[in-house]
Amino acid sequence: MAEPKRGGSGADSEGPEDRKPQSDEARSAFTPPAGVEQPEPAEEDSPTSEFAVPEGLTTGEHPIPPEASAFDTPSTYSARNAPPAFTPAHGMPVVRLTKEAPWQDRMRTLLRMPVGDRPVPEPVQRHDEAGPAVPRVLDLTLRIGELLLAGGEGAEDVEAAMFGVSRAYGLDRCEPNVTFTLLSISYQPSLVEDPVTASRTVRRRGTDYTRLAAVYHLIDDITSPDTDVTLEEAYRTLAEIRRNRHPYPGWALTAAGGLLAGAASVLVGGGPVVFLAAAIGAMLGDRLAWLCAGRGLPEFYQFVVAAMPPAAMGVALTLAPTTTMWDVRPSAVITGGLFALLPGRALVAGVQDGLTGYYITASARLLEVMYFFIAIVIGVLVVLYLGVQLDAELHAATSLETVERPVTQILASMLLCFAFAILLQQERNTVLIVTLNGGVAWIVYGAMHDVGEISAVASTAVAAGLVGLFGQLFSRYQYASALPYVTAAIGPLLPGSSTYFGLLGIAQNDLNQGLASLSTAAALSLAIAIGVNLGGEISRLFLKVPGAGRGASRRAAKRTRGF
């Protein structure tokens, strides 16, 4: 029997394990089969890339050398004629935030910058060596934002405050988010760690500008490097702000409401009897609204009830036999009562949020204004309808007669602003300033509308712009919120008479006249809101912008431009 051939040299021999077939996982479709010349293995220290130029291929007159990089200067680059796509000769602009600027401007500037362009913060407040207590910082930030939003601040200012507090305690990667009733903030320690998110719901809103000013002072202390405020001290101060009672008692607020309605009635042509009747009607409406609030009724029904007594007083004076003897204007009584109910504060805040790009919050605020306005319409229409059925002499076609008594009207406008400031629970040192601001606004409006015969909408917009301008300057000087210096000052500009005549026209089935007057009231309201916001924006042009170098100009309200 022939012996099996034992394979020759060791190089050509194969062991039993070498003759085993390879599995599909070990064999590649691109591996040359046995017996075919194998390619040389690639060197490990020079890996190839799919972006490498193949051997033998050139790219034109300037082939890329092996050591070329994507960051090398192009061959067509000229230092004399540098294209705009490359870094300019003076370098990239650096944002430098000056410490002298108010914290509102500094934080608003950072919020309007892309996240990657924000400078790394230096913690203003001290904390332990282990780092800031993230949950406590986020909770403090949310509580401060809650008080600001409940007090009527705009969404952008609330975000700026939350952003400033979190950065002061060393949390630089924070993103606050504000809607009408919800506050949230997210903090991500690094790109490889999970973010921490906290939220808080604003369930109750009230008007107390004294508390709002105290919160602003606390934020100024926290964001200032010259003041040391620990987390425990900040919590203690915040608790004291919450526990503080309102600066004015309930009877003072009721008296201020009556004073506001009486001053508004004199502003539109009323006399002493009209002043007294409007004040009594407004105070009765305020007490009825407080009674409904104590019973747990929503604000919508509170506004319906509060609008009825002033309208009833006007109808009663129309039916009284001594009306002609005393030269009483019932329309002025009803108009004065409407001045105390029109939600000018919420309207200004809603339009401001819309102009700064917070459309969800703006929509919610404007929807709230619409509900309040509908409530006032219902309350007044019920009384006017009853007056029409009783043959009350109410004429929608006749406007309030313009009486040439500028001194009386100026004093009435200032008295209206004074009463409005008391209703808003302002600090006593701001009442005089806002009263003067409102008087200046009415002087400008009267000079443009009555003397210059300019349209009411344009005159209102200019006067409201001056209110916003002066209010913003006062707030910058005091390092406080602009609301206490602005809200009460727009009181004389509110469209009370247009609203009344629109409602009266609807009650008398004159829809064309009624809708025209209501449209005028809506136009005046928007003119007030836009004028206040525009005046505040213009005031910042004359102030020191928080950035000393190139590229530190004020950013737009949002990073989008509508496309």
Side-chain angles (χ1 to χ4, degrees), residues 100-301:
E100 293 78 11
W103 65 265
Q104 301 100 307
D105 284 345
R106 289 186 279 118
M107 295 305 110
R108 189 182 290 110
T109 301
L110 292 176
L111 278 176
R112 294 177 177 181
M113 293 172 57
V115 179
D117 295 346
R118 294 174 183 171
V120 178
E122 297 180 1
V124 176
Q125 303 300 332
R126 63 180 184 271
H127 49 73
D128 299 335
E129 296 180 357
V134 175
R136 289 179 60 81
V137 173
L138 296 183
D139 180 70
L140 176 66
T141 303
L142 289 174
R143 290 178 182 272
I144 290 177
E146 178 189 9
L147 287 180
L148 293 178
L149 188 62
E153 273 291 355
E156 187 180 29
D157 292 329
V158 177
E159 281 195 2
M162 296 172 63
F163 193 71
V165 172
S166 61
R167 285 176 66 91
Y169 286 106
L171 305 185
D172 56 330
R173 294 178 177 270
C174 278
E175 287 296 331
N177 187 22
V178 176
T179 57
F180 186 54
T181 57
L182 181 64
L183 299 170
S184 63
I185 186 169
S186 178
Y187 169 67
Q188 188 173 13
S190 64
L191 297 177
V192 296
E193 297 183 61
D194 296 333
V196 180
T197 303
S199 62
R200 193 174 183 88
T201 302
V202 180
R203 302 190 182 278
R204 296 187 61 184
R205 292 186 301 274
T207 304
D208 190 344
Y209 283 176
T210 300
R211 178 179 297 176
L212 187 67
V215 176
Y216 260 75
H217 289 314
L218 174 60
I219 299 172
D220 186 55
D221 291 339
I222 292 176
T223 56
S224 175
D226 301 329
T227 308
D228 293 332
V229 182
T230 63
L231 281 174
E232 288 71 18
E233 293 173 348
Y235 267 106
R236 192 181 306 113
T237 305
L238 197 62
E240 293 175 356
I241 293 174
R242 286 180 174 274
R243 286 195 302 264
N244 283 345
R245 298 179 60 86
H246 298 303
Y248 308 104
W251 64 266
L253 298 181
T254 301
L259 190 63
L260 189 154
S265 64
V266 175
L267 193 65
V268 294
V273 178
V274 171
F275 178 92
L276 185 61
I280 293 175
M283 288 189 290
L284 288 176
D286 180 76
R287 287 293 92 190
L288 288 176
W290 275 105
L291 181 62
C292 293
R295 298 291 181 178
L297 289 178
E299 279 188 300
F300 180 86
Y301 302 105

Side-chain angles (χ1 to χ4, degrees), residues 402 443-457 459-460:
T402 303
I443 291 174
V444 173
Y445 172 80
M448 295 183 62
H449 182 258
D450 298 335
V451 180
E453 297 183 353
I454 302 175
S455 66
V457 176
S459 303
T460 302

Side-chain angles (χ1 to χ4, degrees), residues 510-531:
D510 190 357
L511 296 181
N512 293 332
Q513 182 68 27
L515 293 178
S517 297
L518 290 180
S519 300
T520 302
L524 292 174
S525 301
L526 290 177
I528 292 173
I530 295 176

